[in-house]
Each structure stands twice: as C-alpha cells, then as structure tokens.
Amino acid sequence: TIRNASGPPVVIALHHDKITTELTAELRHILRAHPGATQVILKMERSVGAPVLMNLCDFPVQPDSSFMADIKSLLGATAIAAA
C-alpha cells in the first residue's frame, strides 16, 4: 500500500474499457481542481487478470466532500475503492 503523511491514498477504480480521451481530460480537470497532499491511485480493472494500479503522483488531492462528489458524478458511486 502506498501511503504518505496525509493518510491513505485515494483509490479511483475504473474499468479499462471505459477510459476515453474525454474521460481522461475530465478526470485530470477534477484532480487539478482539488489540489492537496493525498496521493491518488488509479485502479484499472480488466476483464481478465489482476487490476493495474497507476500512481498519479503528479495529481495529489484534497479528498474532501466536493472532490468525492465530482469523482462520483463523473465515474459513478462505486468509483472510490478501498486502498
């Protein structure tokens, strides 16, 4: 598990076949709109095999309720996964 001084990372789960250029741009916008010190991990679920974890080290966030609402609005209520 990747951790830092601000607590556990935020893990955003997304199925790989849902990733588009538009979704990537919107996710980047949300991450930049909520700067902070908490690490973000993108967990890409695949149909076969283990998920792929990507450390989004260039986009630390402040995981407040506004951030969570933005992520859930973009990706759905199940997008925030357990670390």
Side-chain angles (χ1 to χ4, degrees), residues 50-81:
V52 175
L53 300 177
M54 294 179 61
N55 180 357
L56 303 182
C57 58
D58 292 337
F59 300 98
V61 298
Q62 175 63 42
D64 56 17
S65 59
S66 176
F67 169 78
M68 297 298 185
D70 286 350
I71 291 295
K72 289 178 182 179
S73 175
L74 178 65
L75 302 174
T78 60
I80 305 296

Side-chain angles (χ1 to χ4, degrees), residues 10-21:
V10 172
V11 179
I12 299 172
L14 181 62
H15 201 274
H16 77 93
D17 64 359
K18 303 289 185 200
I19 298 172
T20 64
T21 303

